Amino acid sequence: MVNIKDIAQKAGVSISTVSYALNGNTRVSEKTRSRILAIANELNYIPNAAGRNLKKKETEVIGAFINDYTAPIFGQILRGMQETLNANNYELVVCSGKKSHRFIPERMFDGAVILDVSFPSEKIMEYASRGHKMIVLDRELEHPNIHPVLLDNQKGAKLAIEYLIKKGHHKLYIVKGPEDNYDNRKRLQSVRQAISHHFHVDYTEISGNFSKESGRRAAQQIIREYREPVAVFCFNDEMAIGMYHDLLKTDLRIGEHIHIIGFDNIELSQYIQPTLTTIGYSRQHWGKVAAEQLLNMINDQPVKENLINVRLIEGNSVGEGSLDSF
């Protein structure tokens, strides 16, 4: 690869003169600068961005770390981030995989937003201790260089349970996410607390992993155990849609025999039939707030405590329960 030393040798000037010319420094004349740029172009010189960034101590680039490019919730979050960053002359680069984690200590980014549940918290804390600014969306970590912007999972789970009970349902299934997942833990904590106030509720937890396949497995268990109408709170819409897949092959009707509520309000949930009742929130706003708070950290401005608000969106997947069974 051609470097500035090669350009300097061909131009017959010092390395510092080449550096000044490439960076538009007024210490070199326009004539010299033009000649050096022509030689650089002739040699197909490509600037070393990492080296330049170390000198400038800024890149005007933010990294977003995700673990799954196919996950429906990431698109709108990233769009909200991108719009906010672009309005402030920053660019967004989306990364995935363990090897991309090194971009933070290599200072390829001025800051990072962590959406990747597989990104170890120990590494995040280590990078923060080195001075790197980060926003986390899926965990709570205490460090001056880390700020969480979190979904109000507990409110969402409480809304779901109270809605089902208000509708008259007393036989409930809960389809959980991965045990080590932050959102799952918060939703489960809220569900258990809400149900503890209703002694008449018959309540069963089913393990899942936020995938459609785990929703299908949950549906098979519920079909085997079915004796009377039941309500199901799936901790995300993907699992709820997986349940639809298997339930629609039976005589059990969604919204009459099996009443389902999800979480996330992904686009597909409003196109399936019956439309899915779910807990929704603005993912674009979530991304916008995350980007704003990261820019505040980078610019040494105050950051605020944020919980992204959620609301219940009624569909046709939940009907009335039987109060006579209490």
Side-chain angles (χ1 to χ4, degrees):
M1 181 179 290
V2 174
N3 56 41
I4 62 173
K5 184 178 179 180
D6 300 319
I7 300 171
Q9 187 174 1
K10 182 159 186 175
V13 298
S14 67
I15 292 175
S16 59
T17 299
V18 174
S19 180
Y20 292 148
L22 295 176
N23 288 292
N25 194 297
T26 56
R27 295 185 187 185
V28 297
S29 67
E30 185 60 35
K31 181 179 178 181
T32 301
R33 179 174 177 275
S34 296
R35 186 166 68 87
I36 289 172
L37 290 177
I39 292 171
N41 186 57
E42 178 189 339
L43 296 175
N44 294 317
Y45 169 71
I46 300 174
N48 186 326
R52 186 174 67 248
N53 293 341
L54 285 172
K55 291 181 179 180
K56 291 176 62 182
K57 298 188 185 299
E58 61 181 27
T59 65
E60 294 182 337
V61 177
I62 297 300
F65 291 82
I66 65 175
N67 61 302
D68 182 1
Y69 282 103
T70 65
I73 70 166
F74 287 147
Q76 290 296 317
I77 293 175
L78 294 171
R79 178 179 293 181
M81 289 175 56
Q82 182 182 39
E83 289 178 354
T84 300
L85 293 171
N86 289 170
N88 288 274
N89 297 314
Y90 276 79
E91 298 291 343
L92 177 67
V93 172
V94 182
C95 310
S96 183
K98 292 182 180 179
K99 291 182 180 179
S100 69
H101 297 175
R102 71 176 189 268
F103 295 156
I104 296 176
E106 289 177 359
R107 299 192 179 278
M108 300 301 291
F109 306 130
D110 291 347
V113 179
I114 312 296
L115 304 91
D116 182 354
V117 295
S118 67
F119 202 128
S121 293
E122 296 78 14
K123 277 292 179 187
I124 296 173
M125 293 292 283
E126 177 188 330
Y127 295 157
S129 296
R130 296 186 196 177
H132 301 285
K133 313 285 189 182
M134 288 170 284
I135 295 288
V136 292
L137 304 190
D138 61 358
R139 68 196 82 191
E140 293 178 277
L141 298 174
E142 292 189 11
H143 193 283
N145 289 328
I146 301 172
H147 181 68
V149 179
L150 303 169
L151 197 62
D152 198 343
N153 286 293
Q154 290 172 285
K155 176 183 176 182
K158 183 179 179 182
L159 285 172
I161 294 300
E162 289 183 344
Y163 179 76
L164 293 176
I165 292 173
K166 183 179 178 182
K167 281 283 193 177
H169 296 286
H170 62 93
K171 172 68 174 174
L172 303 186
Y173 285 91
I174 308 301
V175 186
K176 304 179 292 183
E179 294 295 332
D180 60 350
N181 180 272
Y182 173 82
D183 293 332
N184 175 72
R185 293 197 305 270
K186 289 296 182 181
R187 292 171 196 179
L188 186 57
Q189 178 184 348
S190 182
V191 163
R192 289 171 175 172
Q193 184 176 10
I195 288 178
S196 69
H197 301 299
H198 299 277
F199 300 107
H200 63 277
V201 171
D202 180 2
Y203 158 69
T204 302
E205 294 179 8
I206 301 177
S207 295
N209 61 12
F210 286 156
S211 69
K212 292 185 182 73
E213 183 58 35
S214 64
R216 295 182 63 182
R217 290 194 297 269
Q220 288 302 316
Q221 177 178 335
I222 292 169
I223 291 167
R224 289 194 303 269
E225 298 175 358
Y226 185 83
R227 299 292 182 274
E228 60 178 321
V230 300
V232 186
F233 175 27
C234 294
F235 278 10
N236 77 342
D237 288 351
E238 292 266 320
M239 294 192 296
I241 291 168
M243 289 195 66
Y244 269 59
H245 184 277
D246 279 29
L247 288 172
L248 291 173
K249 297 177 182 178
T250 73
D251 293 331
L252 298 173
R253 289 185 291 276
I254 297 169
E256 182 178 343
H257 303 111
I258 311 288
H259 304 262
I260 304 175
I261 182 168
F263 201 119
D264 285 332
N265 191 33
I266 63 174
E267 186 175 8
L268 182 58
S269 68
Q270 301 310 307
Y271 290 98
I272 57 177
Q273 290 298 324
T275 54
L276 180 65
T277 298
T278 185
I279 303 299
Y281 51 92
S282 171
R283 289 181 284 281
Q284 192 162 338
H285 176 67
W286 195 2
K288 176 178 181 290
V289 172
E292 288 174 345
Q293 297 293 41
L294 182 56
L295 292 178
N296 285 341
M297 293 174 70
I298 291 169
N299 295 314
D300 295 320
Q301 299 296 318
V303 292
K304 301 176 182 177
E305 295 300 320
N306 296 99
L307 271 181
I308 302 302
N309 192 39
V310 300
R311 62 190 180 93
L312 186 135
I313 299 171
E314 290 191 84
N316 298 317
S317 63
V318 177
E320 297 291 336
S322 176
L323 292 171
D324 296 336
S325 301
F326 289 179

